[in-house]
Amino acid sequence: MCVPGCQDVVMRRLSRRGFFKGLGAVGAGAAVFTAFPPPRPALAQGASFSKVVDLTHALGPEFPTFFGKPQLSIETNFSFDKDGFNMNTWTLVEHTGTHLDAPIHFSKDGADAASIDLGQLVVPLAVVDVKEKAASDPDYQLTADDLKAWESANGDLPSGGCVAMNSGWADFVTTDKFRNVDADGGMHFPGFHLDATMYMMEKGVVGMAVDTLSLDFGASKDFAAHYAWLPSGRWGMECVANLDSVPATGATIVVGAPKVKGATGGISRLFALV
Amino acid sequence: MCVPGCQDVVMRRLSRRGFFKGLGAVGAGAAVFTAFPPPRPALAQGASFSKVVDLTHALGPEFPTFFGKPQLSIETNFSFDKDGFNMNTWTLVEHTGTHLDAPIHFSKDGADAASIDLGQLVVPLAVVDVKEKAASDPDYQLTADDLKAWESANGDLPSGGCVAMNSGWADFVTTDKFRNVDADGGMHFPGFHLDATMYMMEKGVVGMAVDTLSLDFGASKDFAAHYAWLPSGRWGMECVANLDSVPATGATIVVGAPKVKGATGGISRLFALV
């Protein structure tokens, strides 16, 4: 998700924005963490629901990946006909399918997948629909203005909650348009703009979800959303499904993140309680 | 979890019990499926909750396994200092840590992990405490009588729900007592008795959870609970944590099973909504 040095570009860019004025020599990556620590509720929040929506794509070796190569293989260890039961071994890159980005994915010492606070994993969900804009511009970046428009219609973004981008891209998951590669090998799909990322941090949002392969738009050169968001102790979720089946506000997202020690993310089961 | 031919032993044993009288030449495994198909609600059930309990153990390469050998290794592909981000690849046997047993784990053509009905994954949870019996007998099998005693105190087992055995074994997960191997290599930990398994099927229960390494007790030679339960289209969950923090009745279990096509189970994130 990066080339060497790209985090420096983002850190300089963040510094120029003046968010961290007065923090002196502290690196901007660390400064983001200091300036906008995520809320840490002692317990996950309660809610009521009458139905469950599965926000998870089914995953197989053919699932599209950011790097363009398969990231899952399955080897049969035991088979029913021969052994009386079936069992397999997976070889799996953590960032495959509907999957978590843990803070440590883009930081030196952030929380791993097993260490994310339980209070961050069952939280209110806001869904921001940018399908029309993304349909006309596959490089569309969801902006702070999109979030403010959402707030005008739905009330404040949920502090301690998750904001999901519904770009319509989940519909393309079985086609080449999901990665949407140009003649030069560059990808074109929507993502979160840095302005929106910073606005969500100011509002105390803890989770960022996208229906594409990356929190940043496909053509990003600096991974600005990743570098601002994850080192601050927040989580991301990529390749989310079925956001059309969830209301703009009022649902609760249940983040079935893998509780694997040292993991930088990993395949997850996501549900929305509506 | 089996030696060749053991399913035949179970099938004969089941046939002898007379549950499948009149089904003629149909194998008992298939007969169970016919006799007690699981409820298939169109949508998962609603509920209210005020707190969330994490029923998942943190998983690392050292986590104890049924076969006694490590079943997870993690290889670093990219590191923050060198590459600007962290990413790993896992090599993982499906039945490791807090994990799902999908119907196909012990059947020829049952549902895989990705195909389990959504309506089976967010369901009422009954917790049956057998800690005292298990403390005095590590080979204890939770019986139909234990379930009937639970019902006398708490009402009917939840049709369409999950029944979890709380044997106290989760406390031993970091010690040799979790596998509790004798001088001959046999394991000794509690599990579900076939009588209890059949009773749960009659009652329409869809999920069976244990805080040990197997649905069957460790000394089982025939895997009777596995062979009765899973081929009927029901799921199992092994190595469940924190059942002491969940009431006997009234909670909802959220089964964050991995949605991996062809998988016979896999690492899961389990929550109880209380």
Side-chain angles (χ1 to χ4, degrees):
Chain A
M1 327 289 190
C2 186
V3 292
C6 73
Q7 76 271 33
D8 298 331
V9 173
V10 178
M11 288 177 180
R12 282 197 299 275
R13 186 174 167 189
L14 291 171
S15 294
R16 279 200 307 274
R17 300 179 65 83
F19 279 107
F20 315 109
K21 194 175 174 183
L23 286 167
V26 179
V32 172
F33 187 84
T34 306
F36 298 114
R40 300 238 173 220
L43 290 172
Q45 301 174 42
S48 295
F49 61 98
S50 58
K51 73 169 182 171
V52 180
V53 176
D54 192 351
L55 302 180
T56 323
H57 288 294
L59 175 62
E62 77 291 350
F63 198 90
T65 67
F66 186 87
F67 292 104
K69 294 181 180 171
Q71 294 187 168
L72 167 65
S73 63
I74 300 179
E75 179 192 1
T76 301
N77 303 125
F78 297 93
S79 66
F80 189 79
D81 285 343
K82 181 169 169 286
D83 306 298
F85 67 106
N86 294 302
M87 196 164 87
N88 307 311
T89 293
W90 308 341
T91 303
L92 175 65
V93 177
E94 288 168 338
H95 297 265
T96 309
T98 301
H99 72 274
L100 174 77
D101 281 6
I104 201 170
H105 183 37
F106 269 73
S107 62
K108 189 175 175 64
D109 53 9
D112 64 17
S115 305
I116 297 174
D117 264 27
L118 178 60
Q120 290 193 16
L121 298 179
V122 181
V123 298
L125 173 64
V127 180
V128 182
D129 187 328
V130 294
K131 285 188 287 187
E132 197 168 324
K133 291 169 176 171
S136 61
D137 177 11
D139 294 323
Y140 188 72
Q141 297 184 70
L142 189 156
T143 64
D145 282 347
D146 290 324
L147 297 176
K148 290 170 187 170
W150 186 96
E151 288 185 311
S152 293
N154 300 287
D156 284 347
L157 291 178
S159 178
C162 169
V163 174
M165 173 187 77
N166 183 3
S167 72
W169 234 250
D171 290 347
F172 309 138
V173 72
T174 61
T175 74
D176 288 343
K177 189 162 180 183
F178 199 65
R179 299 183 73 245
N180 201 23
V181 179
D182 64 27
D184 298 323
M187 291 185 288
H188 300 278
F189 53 74
F192 274 93
H193 194 281
L194 179 60
D195 280 344
T197 304
M198 302 308 292
Y199 187 72
M200 287 159 58
M201 292 167 72
E202 289 177 47
K203 290 283 184 167
V205 174
V206 301
M208 174 191 284
V210 294
D211 55 359
T212 61
L213 278 162
S214 176
L215 306 180
D216 287 279
F217 72 128
S220 173
K221 303 297 181 199
D222 59 11
F223 297 86
H226 276 86
Y227 278 114
W229 187 256
L230 297 177
S232 78
R234 291 165 166 85
W235 56 261
M237 191 62 64
E238 294 166 341
C239 301
V240 175
N242 293 329
L243 288 169
D244 277 340
S245 301
V246 181
T249 185
T252 298
I253 189 168
V254 179
V255 181
K259 199 167 176 178
V260 175
K261 294 187 276 187
T264 71
I267 59 166
S268 300
R269 190 66 179 262
L270 283 192
F271 299 116
L273 310 178
V274 181
Chain B
M1 328 296 187
C2 185
V3 292
C6 71
Q7 76 272 30
D8 298 329
V9 174
V10 178
M11 288 177 182
R12 282 196 300 274
R13 184 173 168 189
L14 290 171
S15 295
R16 278 200 308 273
R17 300 180 65 82
F19 278 107
F20 317 110
K21 195 175 173 182
L23 286 166
V26 179
V32 174
F33 187 84
T34 305
F36 299 113
R40 299 237 174 222
L43 291 172
Q45 301 173 47
S48 296
F49 61 98
S50 58
K51 72 170 184 170
V52 180
V53 176
D54 192 351
L55 301 181
T56 323
H57 286 295
L59 175 61
E62 77 291 350
F63 198 89
T65 68
F66 186 87
F67 292 104
K69 295 180 180 174
Q71 294 188 166
L72 167 66
S73 63
I74 300 180
E75 178 192 3
T76 301
N77 304 125
F78 297 94
S79 65
F80 189 79
D81 286 343
K82 180 168 168 288
D83 306 298
F85 67 106
N86 294 302
M87 195 163 89
N88 308 312
T89 293
W90 307 340
T91 303
L92 175 64
V93 177
E94 288 168 339
H95 297 265
T96 309
T98 300
H99 72 273
L100 175 77
D101 280 8
I104 200 170
H105 182 38
F106 269 71
S107 62
K108 188 174 175 64
D109 53 8
D112 64 17
S115 304
I116 297 174
D117 265 25
L118 178 60
Q120 289 193 14
L121 298 179
V122 182
V123 298
L125 173 63
V127 180
V128 182
D129 188 327
V130 293
K131 285 187 288 187
E132 197 168 325
K133 292 170 177 173
S136 61
D137 177 10
D139 294 323
Y140 188 72
Q141 297 183 70
L142 188 156
T143 64
D145 283 345
D146 290 324
L147 298 176
K148 289 169 186 170
W150 185 96
E151 287 185 311
S152 293
N154 300 287
D156 283 347
L157 290 178
S159 177
C162 169
V163 175
M165 174 187 76
N166 183 4
S167 72
W169 234 249
D171 290 348
F172 309 138
V173 71
T174 60
T175 74
D176 287 344
K177 188 162 182 185
F178 199 63
R179 298 183 74 246
N180 202 22
V181 179
D182 64 26
D184 297 323
M187 292 184 289
H188 299 277
F189 54 75
F192 274 93
H193 194 281
L194 179 60
D195 281 343
T197 305
M198 303 308 292
Y199 187 73
M200 286 159 58
M201 292 167 72
E202 289 176 46
K203 291 281 183 169
V205 174
V206 301
M208 173 192 285
V210 293
D211 55 358
T212 61
L213 278 163
S214 176
L215 306 180
D216 288 279
F217 73 128
S220 173
K221 303 297 183 199
D222 59 11
F223 298 85
H226 277 86
Y227 278 116
W229 188 255
L230 298 176
S232 77
R234 291 165 166 85
W235 56 260
M237 190 64 62
E238 294 167 340
C239 301
V240 174
N242 293 329
L243 287 168
D244 278 339
S245 300
V246 181
T249 185
T252 297
I253 189 168
V254 180
V255 181
K259 201 169 176 178
V260 175
K261 293 187 278 188
T264 72
I267 57 166
S268 300
R269 190 66 179 261
L270 283 193
F271 300 115
L273 309 177
V274 182

